[in-house]
């Protein structure tokens, strides 16, 4: 939860509704656990006051902003990046106890250290208490935008966020220790850790644009959810005082579980085929609109985009439902020569059937070995003047013959696609009239030796 000053009424709602929240979770699952963490911002100017008494600083420099921060309280406590107050537990009563002991905090600017806190809640598996084999969901409750990588430069924080767990035990909570030393994490870092640890995020964002900001945080967080991935991040709108938190939790859970999606895997092409009660999602990567307690079934086809040299194990992620382990044995070439069938009927008896295709005997070719290499006379196809391919019936060579025309001995050559033309000038010559069949081909090629 964002515990910056503008969240005072939200904290009050959470405290008064803590029992209703756990009751709602019990109605959703008999094996639920719940935890609680809070975040604000880095103790570094211009994000927050570096004075011990942040409230005094706000009073002197920002006037009545301290009223919103305090909301009737004596003061805001000093800020911090992230604290984990309650490890995941099935004891519903502990949530109320923890909430009674947390207070809002003072900082200066609007965007908060949301992503840095989210990252710590995702990578600190033991400290948070994430269970193996469970549906892991973290809800981020906020009314402000977020800071990301390179924003730390405003406070001279240039060390890259290492993405590791840095929660240190304190009295009654775990405290994030690297806030003053590292920059904020990138969206990519957060996305990778969510995938790695199979955790789904729900951003519960206030309806209003607080302090008249230009762009709504709903839009900002929807864009963030798109960057993280539609199967890994969701956005729910919540009332400005979070009074509807109970119904938001129900809607959020349903939004997470209604689509069962197969995540992409580098180097693999994943195909989905529905089998039982499965309406494919718009991107074809899973089953959509699955009701709670419904059983769905679908087949997954895996194709390698490139040949792997050795057997490999890959994890096929189903966000929120764990991973399916795949053992890949690559088949990069067809090894079925041992099953060759000689002189198969599908190959016209002149070839062997190998791997579903014809391997033709010497002297034959064609998809079904229906052609041979020998040239036949094909007299009717080549005007009795040439030889043709017995399979395609195309003239391969046209004959040259001797003839005496007008008392003159000539060597006559035939040509054309069907040997239908010749270069003689006698009675048997190719017609050269404009309306004759081969006048175009013969005339253009032999213009010098022909006369009108």
């Amino acid at each position: 939860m964002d515990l910056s000053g503008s969240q005072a009424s939200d904290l009050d709602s959470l405290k008064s509704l803590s029992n209703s929240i756990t009751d709602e979770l019990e109605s959703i699952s008999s094996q639920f656990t719940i935890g609680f963490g809070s975040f604000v911002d880095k103790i570094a100017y211009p994000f927050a006051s570096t004075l011990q008494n942040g409230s005094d600083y706000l009073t002197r420099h920002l006037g009545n902003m301290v009223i919103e921060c305090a909301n009737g309280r004596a003061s805001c406590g000093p800020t911090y990046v992230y604290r984990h107050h309650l490890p995941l537990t099935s004891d519903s009563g502990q949530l109320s106890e923890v909430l009674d002991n947390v207070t809002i905090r003072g900082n200066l600017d609007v965007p908060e250290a949301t992503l840095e806190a989210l990252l710590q809640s995702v990578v600190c598996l033991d400290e948070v208490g994430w269970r193996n084999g469970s549906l892991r969901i973290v809800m981020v409750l906020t009314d402000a935008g977020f800071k990301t990588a390179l924003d730390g430069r405003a406070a001279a924080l240039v060390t890259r966020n290492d993405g590791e767990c840095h929660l240190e035990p304190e009295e009654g909570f775990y405290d994030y220790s690297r806030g003053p030393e590292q920059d904020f994490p990138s969206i990519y870092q957060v996305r990778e850790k969510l995938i790695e640890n199979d955790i789904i995020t729900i951003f519960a964002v206030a309806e209003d644009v607080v302090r008249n900001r230009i762009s709504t945080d709903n839009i900002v967080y929807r864009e963030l959810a798109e960057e993280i991935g539609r199967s890994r991040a969701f956005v729910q709108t919540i009332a400005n005082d979070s009074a509807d938190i109970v119904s938001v939790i129900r809607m959020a859970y349903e939004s997470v579980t209604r689509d069962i999606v197969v995540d992409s895997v580098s180097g693999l092409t994943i195909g989905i085929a529905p089998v039982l009660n499965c309406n494919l999602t718009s991107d074809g990567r899973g089953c959509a609109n699955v009701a709670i307690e419904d059983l769905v079934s679908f087949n997954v086809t895996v194709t390698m985009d490139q040949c792997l040299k050795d057997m490999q194990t890959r994890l096929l992620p189903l966000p929120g439902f764990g991973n399916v382990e795949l053992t890949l044995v690559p088949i990069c070439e067809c090894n079925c020569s041992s099953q060759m069938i000689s002189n198969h009927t599908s190959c016209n008896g002149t070839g062997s059937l190998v791997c579903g295709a014809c391997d033709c005997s010497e002297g034959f070719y064609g998809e079904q070995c229906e052609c041979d290499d020998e040239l036949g006379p094909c007299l009717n196809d080549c005007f009795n003047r040439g030889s043709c391919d017995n399979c395609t019936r195309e003239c391969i060579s046209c004959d040259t013959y001797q003839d005496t025309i007008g008392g003159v001995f000539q060597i006559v050559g035939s040509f054309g696609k069907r040997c239908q033309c010749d270069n003689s000038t006698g009675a048997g010559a190719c017609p050269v009239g404009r309306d004759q069949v081969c006048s175009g081909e013969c005339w253009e090629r032999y213009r010098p030796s022909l006369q009108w």
Side-chain angles (χ1 to χ4, degrees):
M1 180 180 181
D2 172 4
L3 281 188
S4 60
S6 59
Q7 289 281 90
S9 59
D10 301 81
L11 179 58
D12 289 340
S13 295
L14 210 62
K15 289 180 177 181
S16 64
L17 294 171
S18 60
N19 291 330
S20 299
I21 291 173
T22 54
D23 289 344
E24 184 70 12
L25 289 173
E26 284 180 341
S27 71
I28 292 174
S29 172
S30 60
Q31 300 182 36
F32 86 95
T33 58
I34 189 169
F36 181 76
S38 64
F39 64 93
V40 190
D41 213 339
K42 291 182 181 293
I43 308 176
Y45 188 80
F47 308 139
S49 169
T50 56
L51 302 177
Q52 289 296 317
N53 191 336
S55 177
D56 290 343
Y57 182 90
L58 291 172
T59 303
R60 292 199 308 273
H61 295 277
L62 297 176
N64 63 2
M65 184 176 175
V66 70
I67 298 175
E68 180 188 12
C69 174
N71 195 29
R73 296 168 173 77
S75 66
C76 283
T79 191
Y80 53 81
V81 177
Y82 177 64
R83 287 180 179 174
H84 193 69
H85 305 276
L86 176 64
L88 289 162
T89 176
S90 57
D91 185 352
S92 57
Q94 289 192 42
L95 178 62
S96 296
E97 296 176 13
V98 167
L99 290 174
D100 286 340
N101 293 318
V102 297
T103 59
I104 58 171
R105 304 287 169 157
N107 67 319
L108 299 179
D109 62 351
V110 175
E112 314 296 4
T114 313
L115 294 187
E116 195 160 14
L118 174 59
L119 181 65
Q120 288 301 300
S121 71
V122 168
V123 298
C124 297
L125 300 180
D126 294 334
E127 291 78 1
V128 174
W130 293 112
R131 291 180 301 163
N132 292 329
S134 63
L135 174 59
R136 301 175 174 182
I137 303 174
V138 54
M139 175 178 281
V140 179
L141 183 61
T142 184
D143 67 351
F146 54 88
K147 296 184 178 77
T148 185
L150 302 182
D151 287 339
R153 291 179 299 175
L157 300 175
V158 295
T159 302
R160 181 179 180 272
N161 194 292
D162 62 12
E164 301 297 328
C165 176
H166 297 292
L167 289 184
E168 303 294 339
E170 299 288 344
E171 187 175 351
F173 58 87
Y174 286 95
D175 188 45
Y176 174 54
S177 62
R178 292 291 180 88
E181 303 171 21
Q182 298 186 146
D183 190 10
F184 301 94
S186 67
I187 294 174
Y188 176 81
Q189 280 179 296
V190 174
R191 177 182 180 274
E192 289 301 297
K193 293 301 181 181
L194 287 170
I195 294 173
E196 179 183 327
N197 295 309
D198 194 25
I199 296 174
I200 293 174
T201 303
I202 299 168
F203 296 102
V205 186
E207 287 180 314
D208 276 359
V209 183
V210 294
R211 300 195 187 95
N212 299 316
R213 292 196 302 276
I214 296 174
S215 62
T216 68
D217 286 318
N218 269 328
I219 294 175
V220 170
Y221 280 98
R222 292 188 194 283
E223 291 175 348
L224 173 61
E226 286 290 327
E227 288 293 325
I228 293 175
R230 285 177 292 176
S231 59
R232 293 285 175 187
F234 301 82
V235 178
Q236 290 285 340
T237 300
I238 195 167
N240 293 326
D241 59 358
S242 298
D244 56 349
I245 182 67
V246 176
S247 60
V248 167
I249 288 175
R250 164 66 70 169
M251 289 187 294
Y253 182 82
E254 291 177 352
S255 68
V256 168
T257 57
R258 70 186 175 196
D259 288 357
I260 302 175
V261 179
V262 178
D263 237 348
S264 59
V265 181
S266 177
L268 300 180
T269 298
I270 310 296
I272 307 297
V275 177
L276 177 65
N277 298 333
C278 179
N279 298 313
L280 283 179
T281 54
S282 58
D283 58 4
R285 302 197 63 82
C287 299
N289 300 316
V290 180
I292 294 175
E293 297 186 357
D294 272 5
L295 175 68
V296 297
S297 177
F298 48 86
N299 285 334
V300 179
T301 302
V302 181
T303 306
M304 293 183 297
D305 297 339
Q306 56 186 351
C307 185
L308 304 175
K309 293 183 178 179
D310 303 307
M311 183 177 71
Q312 294 190 9
T313 299
R314 299 283 188 89
L315 295 180
L316 185 65
L318 279 75
F321 297 91
N323 302 310
V324 176
E325 186 176 287
L326 300 178
T327 300
L328 303 180
V329 181
I331 301 176
C332 299
E333 57 186 30
C334 198
N335 184 24
C336 48
S337 57
S338 60
Q339 302 175 15
M340 179 178 68
I341 304 175
S342 302
N343 302 322
H344 197 273
T345 54
S346 297
C347 305
N348 285 297
T350 54
S352 301
L353 188 65
V354 183
C355 301
C358 289
D359 181 14
C360 299
S361 302
E362 186 176 355
F364 294 89
Y365 66 96
E367 203 170 293
Q368 296 177 309
C369 304
E370 69 274 22
C371 306
D372 61 59
D373 290 338
E374 294 183 8
L375 297 179
C378 297
L379 299 180
N380 294 330
D381 295 285
C382 299
F383 277 76
N384 298 330
R385 294 177 173 178
S387 300
C388 76
D389 187 312
N390 284 326
C391 184
T392 63
R393 312 303 289 181
E394 292 181 359
C395 295
I396 302 301
S397 61
C398 297
D399 296 338
T400 298
Y401 57 94
Q402 301 174 1
D403 198 1
T404 300
I405 303 174
V408 180
F409 178 80
Q410 295 187 18
I411 303 296
V412 180
S414 58
F415 61 94
K417 290 181 180 180
R418 299 180 64 197
C419 304
Q420 74 273 30
C421 306
D422 65 48
N423 61 357
S424 70
T425 57
C430 172
V432 294
R434 292 186 181 276
D435 297 328
Q436 300 300 321
V437 175
C438 59
S439 60
E441 181 180 346
C442 297
W443 173 249
E444 293 299 328
R445 186 171 178 180
Y446 288 94
R447 186 189 303 269
S449 61
L450 299 176
Q451 298 178 6
W452 289 91

